[in-house]
């Protein structure tokens, strides 16, 4: 059975005090209200992570993630954070390849292949993001784009390593826009991603890969999206900043 995951991406929001209080609310609601095996992952700014790991200790269904990491082990990279540092404070997941990192920080598939390698080397679980822009979808190139993002950044991995990834399909045109992909559009791409994984590796690897949908997901549209056969949860931006909304999204997997 594939793991169901609802991951929140706080981006550059919430100061330290606000972050602690939001996370505490999430942990309490998860303890009281989640009855399935779904995993909730909170990907917060770096300065919050150590404290969030401590606050989440003992709550099996809650994990902490970072939103990025550097591709080198250590060294003269002023302002950067290594995967070893993240591991040393108990972080379990790391978002890699978010479209905002690709767009504003010039992250390429080649660079992301290195980040994926080092994350796996340190047993940090990547939530690896792929997705097309509006122009790419409108010109019918979305399947090619998604295929090359996957192939260039992750298909060099052994099947054993690939199986440690969580994939997030996030159409760029749906991120932070309030425009959600329809459940049919999202399912079509998720099925395509799973097929590509089966072709590259094995059907068994594809069947076990958790593929999240991200892009204006909220408590109203989550049920329909997560009911699709190839959608195993969500990567949630805006709605993860409200504890009630975020946990309501995770509660879709209660039933
Ligand atoms: C995201 O940033 O990964 C995201 C899905 O954002 P939002 O839910 O706000 O569209």
């Amino acid at each position: 059975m594939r793991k169901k995951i609802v991951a929140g991406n706080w981006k550059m929001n919430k100061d330290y005090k606000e972050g602690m209080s939001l996370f505490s609310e999430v942990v309490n609601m998860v303890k009281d209200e989640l009855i399935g095996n779904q995993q909730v992952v909170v990907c917060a700014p770096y300065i919050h992570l150590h404290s969030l790991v401590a606050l989440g200790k003992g709550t099996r269904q809650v994990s902490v993630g970072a939103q990025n990491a550097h591709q080198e082990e250590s060294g003269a990279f002023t302002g950067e954070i290594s995967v070893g540092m993240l591991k040393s404070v108990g972080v379990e997941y790391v978002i890699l390849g978010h479209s905002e990192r690709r767009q504003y920080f010039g992250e390429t598939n080649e660079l992301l292949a290195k980040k994926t390698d080092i994350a796996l080397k340190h047993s940090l679980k990547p939530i690896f993001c792929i997705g097309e822009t509006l122009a790419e979808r409108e010109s019918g190139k979305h399947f090619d784009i998604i295929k090359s993002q996957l192939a260039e950044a992750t298909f060099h991995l052994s099947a054993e390593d690939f199986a440690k990834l969580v994939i997030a399909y996030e159409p760029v045109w749906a991120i932070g826009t309030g425009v959600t992909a329809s459940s049919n559009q999202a399912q079509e791409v998720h099925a395509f991603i799973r097929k590509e994984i089966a072709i590259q590796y094995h059907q068994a690897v594809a069947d076990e890969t958790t593929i999240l949908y991200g892009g204006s997901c909220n408590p109203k549209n989550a049920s329909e999206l997560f009911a699709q056969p190839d959608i195993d949860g969500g990567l949630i931006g805006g709605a993860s900043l409200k504890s009630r909304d975020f946990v309501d999204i995770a509660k879709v997997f209660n039933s």
Side-chain angles (χ1 to χ4, degrees):
M1 212 357 210
R2 285 196 287 276
K3 198 167 185 171
K4 306 297 182 192
I5 298 177
V6 173
N9 175 12
W10 289 2
K11 312 192 186 190
M12 197 173 72
N13 293 297
K14 302 291 174 191
D15 67 18
Y16 185 79
K17 204 167 153 217
E18 291 165 344
M20 295 310 113
S21 106
L22 171 58
F23 187 78
S24 301
E25 286 168 20
V26 168
V27 169
N28 289 333
M29 287 180 190
V30 164
K31 279 186 192 154
D32 291 345
E33 301 174 25
L34 290 204
I35 54 170
N37 282 326
Q38 65 273 57
Q39 191 70 32
V40 168
V41 182
V42 172
C43 301
Y46 291 130
I47 63 151
H48 300 28
L49 297 174
H50 185 217
S51 304
L52 297 192
V53 169
L55 281 174
K57 247 197 175 65
T59 310
R60 181 183 54 82
Q61 282 164 301
V62 177
S63 301
V64 174
Q67 299 169 19
N68 181 33
H70 196 264
Q71 67 275 16
E72 300 293 340
E73 296 279 356
S74 63
F77 302 102
T78 302
E80 292 293 324
I81 298 282
S82 74
V83 290
M85 293 171 190
L86 295 172
K87 276 303 278 187
S88 75
V89 296
V91 168
E92 235 184 286
Y93 288 85
V94 61
I95 296 175
L96 293 179
H98 192 280
S99 66
E100 287 154 15
R101 302 255 4 134
R102 294 177 188 262
Q103 188 181 347
Y104 304 133
F105 301 96
E107 297 201 356
T108 59
N109 293 333
E110 192 185 357
L111 174 75
L112 292 166
K114 292 185 185 150
K115 291 192 176 201
T116 304
D117 287 345
I118 198 156
L120 291 173
K121 181 176 169 201
H122 288 263
S123 306
L124 206 56
K125 298 173 195 160
I127 299 175
F128 192 86
C129 303
I130 53 180
E132 80 285 0
T133 63
L134 186 59
E136 287 161 350
R137 176 162 280 261
E138 284 177 346
S139 58
K141 290 195 196 127
H142 49 297
F143 291 117
D144 289 344
I145 293 291
I146 287 157
K147 188 172 172 177
S148 62
Q149 288 172 335
L150 264 181
E152 290 170 25
T154 69
F155 280 175
H156 63 287
L157 298 171
S158 66
E160 194 191 340
D161 275 345
F162 187 89
K164 296 170 188 159
L165 303 183
V166 172
I167 302 295
Y169 168 56
E170 298 208 302
V172 180
W173 47 271
I175 297 179
T177 57
V179 179
T180 317
S182 69
S183 51
N184 285 344
Q185 282 174 320
Q187 166 57 28
E188 185 185 31
V189 176
H190 281 233
F192 172 79
I193 293 168
R194 207 175 297 288
K195 190 189 82 198
E196 290 301 316
I197 298 169
I199 293 168
Q200 176 67 22
Y201 294 102
H202 193 278
Q203 191 61 45
V205 177
D207 287 343
E208 284 304 307
T209 302
T210 295
I211 308 177
L212 310 181
Y213 167 78
S216 299
C217 189
N218 60 45
K220 286 205 178 79
N221 58 33
S223 308
E224 191 184 331
L225 285 160
F226 298 175
Q228 302 305 310
D230 289 296
I231 301 183
D232 307 309
L235 180 53
I236 319 295
S240 73
L241 298 173
K242 292 189 185 128
S243 53
R244 182 68 276 155
D245 286 359
F246 183 53
V247 176
D248 278 350
I249 294 171
K251 278 170 76 176
V252 168
F253 290 115
N254 274 359
S255 48

